Amino acid sequence: RQECISVDLYSSAQENLLAALPYLTSPLSLVGSSLIIWAIWYDRQVLLKLVYHRLVFAMSVMDWINSFGMIVLGPWTVPADYLYGRPGRGTVNTCTASGVFFSMLTGTVNYSAFLAISFVLTIRWEWKERRIACCMEPFAHFFGFFGPTVNAIIGGANQLINPLWELPGWCWFSDNPPFCIHDKVYCMNEGTLILPDECVRGEDFEDYTTSIGLTFVIFVWGVIVTCMILIVLKVFRMERSLQQYGDPTAALNRTREAANQALSYIAAFLICYLPISLLKFLIQNENDPLRSGKGTIFSFALLTKITVPMIGFLNALIYFRKRFAILIKRGQSLEFLTKIPHLGPWIVARQQPRRARTTQLTAISSNRHSSAMNLPGAPNLATAPPNSNTAPLNIVKPTQTPETHQGETAPKVEGNDNEPVESVLAPVENKTNGNDAPTENGPPNVS
């Protein structure tokens, strides 16, 4: 009997928790990506002419596919075989299908990298829209959409997709099933012996899966870190230049705004993908994957299960950040919802009583303000009849102001042609349109 190593990385409760967490966070990403897709597609004739919106749109589509796969093809797709971890309810084919959807995650990651590159080209080297669309955007769509799609097809056809040992409930590229790690002999708590020659699924493509991991680490992380440094240095140098030469700050404000947007996307990338990168590093770069400690591995696995499915939600917060800031200042933070079919009319109907009350309060306030502006004891000229005995005070010189008593009429005011000027004695007409409340703006354009 060969000596075996226990491979129960987590307890039963920990595995159930890690398997269930994506059901809580994936819907947030699905909603966030759906809002971005809808907002851009709603004004597609304007927004899709810009590289920034096209990249965000494509990135959201890839994340939508990935989030949908996490929800529909969840932990139940793990094969019901001891070789693949704790018995599940799926088959090898269901696990492969789940891994194909999960492979779209690499498309979201690659689009994030190229989005950072586009910000650097705009901020650091001041590339124009046409140049970015011609020289950079085709590579973004190739590596962001066609690359992950072809990669998923190759992985599914060549049996490269297996359940992940360190992330229960997820199927993705792995050169061996969970209990066939580092070509050692492993066993479960029940004592079932698993020999290395049984671990044949995916072993012939170890170099291929390793190259995928190296590409992710070297390219994506290298691009993200480099872009972050270049953006920060550009803003820092502009600030120093303005302090030294006293140039106008309009250009600096625009650069800061673009830099804040770019750094926000980079921060979302770091939050979502740093835990899984560190987890993979701990698992694959140790001769004994358990040497780092089960508690450390579980901590990174827990963070991975929370953060990875939330990339779409964070991207939505960043994409709508400026729009929400403007709407909150106007007090219209929910007005964009009135554009949504079926939901919009219901929101408008709910807001009508509140708007009517606001209009009534505005009219009362306006009347009080008009009354306060009149002189004490003087009649309201805006409501005086045409043949009133009272003349407006502003057309009579102070030295010629006649004192009228009860029963007397005010003298006529004559012009230069010695004819009575009766037109100026007529009351001021109220030329308002009858709406005391300010005109409501339409729903803001969230796109």
Side-chain angles (χ1 to χ4, degrees):
R1 180 182 177 86
Q2 300 184 28
E3 181 181 358
C4 60
I5 305 172
S6 176
V7 292
D8 278 337
L9 185 60
Y10 310 114
S11 65
S12 178
Q14 289 175 335
E15 283 195 354
N16 293 333
L17 176 62
L18 293 177
L21 276 177
Y23 284 120
L24 302 178
T25 54
S26 296
L28 295 177
S29 185
L30 188 69
V31 172
S33 297
S34 300
L35 287 176
I36 295 177
I37 294 171
W38 171 80
I40 296 178
W41 187 255
Y42 186 85
D43 288 336
R44 57 189 177 276
Q45 295 180 353
V46 177
L47 296 182
L48 290 181
K49 294 180 180 179
L50 302 175
V51 175
Y52 166 70
H53 294 285
R54 290 198 295 267
L55 292 179
V56 174
F57 181 83
M59 180 174 63
S60 300
V61 170
M62 301 300 287
D63 179 73
W64 191 96
I65 297 173
N66 174 47
S67 300
F68 178 82
M70 286 186 181
I71 296 174
V72 177
L73 301 175
W76 67 269
T77 58
V78 175
D81 192 327
Y82 71 91
L83 186 64
Y84 296 94
R86 294 186 182 276
R89 291 179 293 175
T91 63
V92 174
N93 292 330
T94 59
C95 182
T96 301
S98 175
V100 169
F101 277 90
F102 193 75
S103 296
M104 298 300 106
L105 176 67
T106 58
T108 306
V109 172
N110 293 339
Y111 271 119
S112 299
F114 280 99
L115 186 63
I117 293 175
S118 68
F119 276 111
V120 171
L121 295 177
T122 302
I123 297 172
R124 177 65 177 82
W125 286 286
E126 299 181 355
W127 279 28
K128 301 300 181 182
E129 182 80 12
R130 182 177 300 179
R131 188 178 181 185
I132 297 176
C134 175
C135 301
M136 190 276 295
E137 188 179 6
F139 295 97
H141 294 303
F142 177 80
F143 288 102
F145 178 76
F146 292 103
T149 303
V150 173
N151 191 36
I153 295 174
I154 294 176
N158 293 280
Q159 299 183 348
L160 295 178
I161 297 176
N162 289 301
L164 297 179
W165 177 55
E166 68 277 9
L167 295 171
W170 283 357
C171 296
W172 201 38
F173 284 84
S174 179
D175 53 3
N176 293 115
F179 292 155
C180 303
I181 302 175
H182 301 295
D183 296 329
K184 290 187 177 182
V185 180
Y186 288 87
C187 65
M188 296 188 297
N189 287 340
E190 290 82 1
T192 303
L193 190 65
I194 301 176
L195 300 177
D197 55 2
E198 295 181 70
C199 305
V200 296
R201 180 178 172 84
E203 67 176 359
D204 296 334
F205 295 89
E206 181 176 358
D207 295 337
Y208 181 78
T209 55
T210 303
S211 64
I212 294 176
L214 292 177
T215 301
F216 174 80
V217 172
I218 296 175
F219 173 74
V220 177
W221 279 102
V223 167
I224 290 295
V225 174
T226 303
C227 291
M228 181 175 61
I229 295 174
L230 291 176
I231 291 172
V232 172
L233 289 177
K234 176 63 176 179
V235 176
F236 177 73
R237 289 172 181 173
M238 286 193 67
E239 290 181 347
R240 289 188 60 184
S241 177
L242 289 175
Q243 293 176 359
Q244 186 175 2
Y245 298 103
D247 293 338
T249 60
L252 178 60
N253 291 335
R254 291 193 299 269
T255 304
R256 279 180 176 175
E257 180 62 30
N260 290 336
Q261 194 78 350
L263 294 177
S264 297
Y265 282 111
I266 292 175
F269 176 88
L270 295 176
I271 292 172
C272 292
Y273 300 123
L274 184 59
I276 189 174
S277 299
L278 295 176
L279 178 63
K280 285 292 184 180
F281 178 81
L282 292 176
I283 293 296
Q284 296 182 359
N285 288 272
E286 295 280 357
N287 294 326
D288 182 3
L290 301 179
R291 196 174 77 179
S292 299
K294 292 185 177 181
T296 302
I297 295 177
F298 174 74
S299 299
F300 282 107
L302 186 66
L303 291 175
T304 298
K305 287 283 189 171
I306 295 174
T307 57
V308 168
M310 291 188 64
I311 183 64
F313 176 73
L314 297 180
N315 287 337
L317 292 181
I318 297 168
Y319 184 78
F320 295 113
R321 175 180 62 89
K322 188 174 181 180
R323 293 171 176 83
F324 271 115
I326 296 175
L327 295 177
I328 289 174
K329 290 181 180 179
R330 297 177 181 175
Q332 302 172 347
S333 56
L334 297 179
E335 288 291 330
F336 78 99
L337 295 176
T338 58
K339 287 186 176 182
I340 300 178
H342 305 293
L343 179 62
W346 180 82
I347 295 176
V348 172
R350 296 277 295 180
Q351 289 182 342
Q352 284 179 351
R354 186 180 64 181
R355 290 179 177 176
R357 178 61 178 169
T358 303
T359 302
Q360 182 181 4
L361 294 176
T362 305
I364 295 173
S365 177
S366 178
N367 291 335
R368 291 178 179 177
H369 180 71
S370 300
S371 300
M373 292 298 293
N374 293 329
L375 294 177
N380 191 346
L381 300 180
T383 58
N387 297 324
S388 175
N389 295 332
T390 304
L393 298 178
N394 59 343
I395 63 172
V396 181
K397 296 182 180 180
T399 56
Q400 299 178 355
T401 302
E403 295 182 0
T404 58
H405 302 281
Q406 186 175 2
E408 297 182 359
T409 58
K412 295 181 180 180
V413 180
E414 296 182 352
N416 295 332
D417 53 357
N418 296 325
E419 294 181 358
V421 185
E422 298 179 354
S423 60
V424 296
L425 297 178
V428 179
E429 297 181 358
N430 187 3
K431 296 183 181 181
T432 59
N433 57 3
N435 295 328
D436 294 325
T439 305
E440 290 286 342
N441 295 327
N445 188 356
V446 300
S447 59

